[in-house]
Amino acid sequence: MVRYAQHAVSSATTAPREAPVVQSVERAAALLRAVASAGGADSTATALAEKVGLNRTTAWRILATLEQQRLVSLDRRTGRYSLGFGLIDLAGQAGGESMVRRAHAVLARIAAKTGETAALAVMRDGDLTYVAEAVAGAIVSVTWQGRPVSLHATSTGKALLAFSGGDEVRELLDLPFGGRLQRFTPSTITSRAALARELTSTRERGYSECRGEFDESAWGVSAPVLDAAGRPVAVISIWGPPERVTAKRFPTLGRLVLAGAEELAGR
């Protein structure tokens, strides 16, 4: 009885063991945080290794693994790392339902004001996918909810590409060297040079435009929902048939979709 009491006291006063730490995971997390905070300024492998206290070889191996998993992206011209689209993909999957709930009122208001379909898309499993939709007034013959988006032939995809880094755009398009973009309709952009000009115009306006480039019956505009670092985490779109969503309406619809994206980002 005495021995039991002594054992109980001893056990009660023994400090609990710390949770086991996997060193490689800890180092990978430290490098991810370093890439995020560097903001492209001092984000070479050497600078990042010094920042987290690792030798360059170890840091390079971990960064190469993170790049393979699309968690970081390497600009091979400058040797600088940035956060990769794998993180956006994870965020889209983990926070998709929460994003949809927050976006519902925004989409419903846009749809009611325009009489057209308003939609939200996020990255899921490497694809930009529509996850929410609101319709008001007009009759639509097709729904895009749950379907992946063509990146170069929709306003939704072009909004994502326009506000992504150059390496991320190449990764997302996944084209062979010299390859052309897939044509869906007569107005689809198939030249990478023409797409680059379109993305520049999109960044200048703040929203993208589509003139039946994926489906001739779907014209529209889109704006990205940006996080605090300026990365696109979702895209809001307005679309409808060309007899209603005309090019003359693009500036007005563009302002509405921009305001909706900014509201959702603020939330």
Side-chain angles (χ1 to χ4, degrees):
M1 189 72 172
V2 173
R3 286 195 301 271
Y4 173 79
Q6 288 173 338
H7 175 71
V9 171
S10 175
S11 297
T13 57
T14 301
R17 287 186 176 182
E18 292 184 3
V21 174
V22 179
Q23 191 178 54
S24 59
V25 176
E26 186 178 41
R27 289 172 171 177
L31 281 168
L32 276 174
R33 291 192 182 95
V35 171
S37 63
D42 296 310
S43 55
T44 62
T46 300
L48 292 168
E50 184 177 347
K51 187 171 184 178
V52 300
L54 293 175
N55 68 63
R56 189 183 181 283
T57 300
T58 300
W60 182 84
R61 287 174 178 168
I62 294 172
L63 287 166
T65 303
L66 292 173
E67 184 188 13
Q68 186 181 48
Q69 297 299 315
R70 300 173 63 245
L71 299 178
V72 299
S73 177
L74 172 62
D75 185 337
R76 284 171 169 73
R77 293 169 300 175
T78 63
R80 292 175 175 175
Y81 287 88
S82 59
L83 294 179
F85 254 90
L87 291 171
I88 303 299
D89 200 329
L90 286 173
Q93 294 186 61
E97 292 306 314
S98 175
M99 177 75 79
V100 169
R101 287 195 300 272
R102 293 197 303 273
H104 180 74
V106 175
L107 297 178
R109 187 168 64 251
I110 291 173
K113 192 165 187 175
T114 62
E116 308 299 344
T117 300
L120 178 78
V122 300
M123 290 296 293
R124 284 189 173 173
D125 298 323
D127 291 318
L128 186 60
T129 304
Y130 289 111
V131 294
E133 202 172 73
V135 181
I139 297 174
V140 294
S141 58
V142 64
T143 177
W144 298 99
Q145 189 161 336
R147 295 174 59 179
V149 179
S150 165
L151 296 182
H152 69 282
T154 63
S155 64
T156 313
K158 286 188 281 186
L160 178 76
L161 294 175
F163 290 86
S164 301
D167 281 350
E168 292 165 345
V169 170
R170 286 186 287 273
E171 179 185 343
L172 287 166
L173 291 176
D174 191 26
L175 286 174
F177 181 76
R180 292 181 68 81
L181 300 163
Q182 183 178 356
R183 180 178 296 281
F184 298 100
T185 73
S187 57
T188 303
I189 294 173
T190 58
S191 159
R192 286 188 283 189
L195 179 62
R197 291 192 294 272
E198 178 81 1
L199 299 184
T200 297
S201 297
T202 294
R203 285 189 295 273
E204 292 171 350
R205 287 190 302 261
Y207 65 89
S208 57
E209 300 175 347
C210 178
R211 294 167 168 79
E213 296 153 42
F214 182 64
D215 182 324
E216 290 182 285
S217 68
W219 285 42
V221 297
S222 300
V225 179
L226 303 176
D227 67 10
R231 294 183 299 266
V233 295
V235 180
I236 291 184
S237 304
I238 302 171
W239 62 270
E243 56 268 23
R244 293 200 311 263
V245 180
T246 62
K248 287 184 178 180
R249 289 186 72 190
F250 281 174
T252 299
L253 296 177
R255 287 191 292 271
L256 286 173
V257 82
L258 259 174
E262 289 171 359
E263 181 181 347
L264 191 53
R267 293 186 180 187

